[in-house]
Amino acid sequence: MTTGIHEDVLPQLEDITVNPDRPLIITDADEVLFAFMQGMELFLEENDLFFDWASFALHGNIRKKSDQSPLASEKIPSLLDRFFAEYAHRLPAVEGAAEHLKKLSETAQIVVLSNVPPKYASLRKEGLVKSGMDFPLIANIGAKGHVVNYLTKNLKKPSFFIDDIPTNHGSVRKHAQHVHRLHYIADARLAKLLGPAEHSTARLDSWPELHDHIQDIIDKE
Ligand SMILES: [Mg+2]
């Protein structure tokens, strides 16, 4: 991994054509395009678990209905894996996401950069197509900064990164500081638990706000 990009991710990047003369929007999927927590709550219910909304994290907040005790950290990766297997293709879309991306796609290129496990990339793609967001998908592994730099390094127009997770903004700031970093958490209950990400350039709270912020920057270029 000499480039900082996982060996399973690089071939996906090589498949994507980026036009250096068009703005580029790189968007996360869960909690940005898809209502991840809505699906997660249903899934937890089906598994006699619940989310207790104490903080912005899965760890410590997934509890057993039987005795309220938190699910052990080591059980979370396999739970998440099962969640994606069962829900990646049928998570509800976030309100306004498809409509505003469609408008933005008249002036910008759009790429979905999701840390969905690669074996579920085709389910994620199915969900995107069903929801009217048939944009190129990268099933990323690990930090996002190097990937965002790879996609934007030759761009002559503004580029944007949208994500709910603060550490992803930190990674993009470190490796692709020229990119506008927009912090957005779709679920209002989750958004309340977290302030603006330290390394983001703006915190926005809806797709109409994201649209206007991005379009303003593009128009001022
Ligand atoms: Mg996300």
Side-chain angles (χ1 to χ4, degrees), residues 40 43 75-88 116-120 123:
M40 179 55 78
F43 174 75
K75 291 195 171 164
I76 291 184
S78 65
L79 189 81
L80 260 180
D81 191 270
R82 209 150 51 76
F83 170 73
F84 281 117
E86 294 178 27
Y87 276 85
V116 66
K119 62 181 164 177
Y120 303 126
L123 292 181

Side-chain angles (χ1 to χ4, degrees), residues 28-34 36 56 113-115 124 144 162-165 168 184:
D28 179 35
D30 290 307
E31 278 310 319
V32 174
L33 305 181
F34 292 116
F36 174 88
F56 184 87
L113 178 60
S114 169
N115 275 19
R124 170 119 292 168
K144 293 188 173 180
I162 311 170
D163 207 292
D164 61 311
I165 296 180
N168 290 335
Y184 171 56

Side-chain angles (χ1 to χ4, degrees), residues 7-220:
E7 60 182 15
D8 292 342
V9 177
L10 204 52
Q12 301 180 60
L13 297 177
E14 286 161 354
D15 277 349
I16 289 179
T17 309
V18 173
N19 178 346
D21 297 312
R22 254 169 102 74
L24 173 63
I25 300 166
I26 301 167
T27 177
D28 179 35
D30 290 307
E31 278 310 319
V32 174
L33 305 181
F34 292 116
F36 174 88
M37 284 307 301
Q38 277 182 36
M40 179 55 78
E41 279 200 300
L42 292 173
F43 174 75
L44 293 178
E45 175 77 33
E46 290 161 7
N47 288 278
D48 297 316
L49 299 163
F50 69 98
F51 190 77
D52 82 357
W53 300 101
S55 66
F56 184 87
L58 291 177
H59 291 259
N61 286 316
I62 295 177
R63 293 180 181 271
K64 297 174 201 161
K65 277 197 196 166
S66 55
D67 62 1
Q68 322 279 301
S69 67
L71 190 70
S73 276
E74 62 267 24
K75 291 195 171 164
I76 291 184
S78 65
L79 189 81
L80 260 180
D81 191 270
R82 209 150 51 76
F83 170 73
F84 281 117
E86 294 178 27
Y87 276 85
H89 59 301
R90 58 187 176 107
L91 282 174
V94 167
E95 195 185 337
E99 172 198 344
H100 288 94
L101 281 177
K102 187 165 188 272
K103 279 198 257 177
L104 288 165
S105 71
E106 290 165 16
T107 46
Q109 324 167 71
I110 294 161
V111 170
V112 179
L113 178 60
S114 169
N115 275 19
V116 66
K119 62 181 164 177
Y120 303 126
S122 61
L123 292 181
R124 170 119 292 168
K125 185 71 181 174
E126 188 184 327
L128 287 166
V129 171
K130 260 199 299 212
S131 306
M133 299 185 281
D134 186 7
F135 302 111
L137 167 68
I138 298 161
N140 184 53
I141 299 162
K144 293 188 173 180
H146 286 292
V147 173
V148 170
N149 187 51
Y150 180 101
L151 290 169
T152 58
K153 63 185 177 210
N154 297 320
L155 216 69
K156 299 181 195 112
K157 295 286 180 179
S159 50
F160 305 87
F161 172 72
I162 311 170
D163 207 292
D164 61 311
I165 296 180
T167 52
N168 290 335
H169 287 282
S171 172
V172 173
R173 180 172 183 268
K174 188 169 176 193
H175 300 291
Q177 203 172 359
H178 54 281
V179 177
H180 297 272
R181 300 175 298 278
L182 313 182
H183 188 206
Y184 171 56
I185 307 169
D187 191 297
R189 299 165 296 177
L190 205 57
K192 270 200 298 200
L193 298 173
L194 197 67
E198 185 188 354
H199 299 299
S200 64
T201 53
R203 167 71 172 258
L204 298 151
D205 292 313
S206 68
W207 268 100
E209 283 184 26
L210 284 166
H211 171 274
D212 291 354
H213 185 91
I214 292 169
Q215 196 64 56
D216 271 0
I217 292 171
I218 292 174
D219 291 346
K220 280 178 189 147

